[in-house]
Amino acid sequence: MSEIVTKLKPLLPDTNLLYELSDFFKVMGDGTRIQLLWALEESEMCVNDLASLLNMTKSAVSHQLKVLRVAKLVKAQKKGKNVYYSLSDEHVKTVFQMALEHICE
């Protein structure tokens, strides 16, 4: 075994962790979901506002928000009769901003 393999083999992350990372990027790899993440990075919003902003049906927005919620990229908070969505935490915002900066270089 080469020296580099011997050095790196113990550092290799758990396979399940790498699959979770892959799933994270699959969720992020959809244009509609990226639009939703961009909007939610700017402001907390309800389904009606997101649908209007992105020229989508409320049903389509709700479906994509569910995917983002399951992936723990967005969170929901009920306020009166409406549910408002926002990014789950600063990590999501940071990943989104770094990726955007990368492609703008």
Side-chain angles (χ1 to χ4, degrees), residues 35-80:
Q35 289 180 56
L36 289 166
L37 291 171
W38 174 85
L40 295 174
E41 180 191 12
E42 297 298 318
S43 177
E44 177 182 77
M45 299 175 80
C46 66
V47 171
N48 288 338
D49 290 341
L50 288 163
S52 179
L53 176 67
L54 301 176
N55 197 29
M56 295 172 59
T57 65
K58 289 185 275 186
S59 175
V61 168
S62 293
H63 172 74
Q64 296 301 335
L65 286 170
K66 181 179 180 185
V67 173
L68 292 169
R69 272 195 335 267
V70 168
K72 299 179 184 169
L73 297 175
V74 301
K75 60 185 176 182
Q77 180 180 8
K78 190 162 176 80
K79 293 182 181 178

Side-chain angles (χ1 to χ4, degrees), residues 2-18:
S2 73
E3 185 179 324
I4 191 68
V5 171
T6 303
K7 179 181 175 184
L8 293 181
K9 190 106 174 143
L11 303 177
L12 187 64
D14 180 70
T15 303
N16 290 332
L17 182 63
L18 293 176

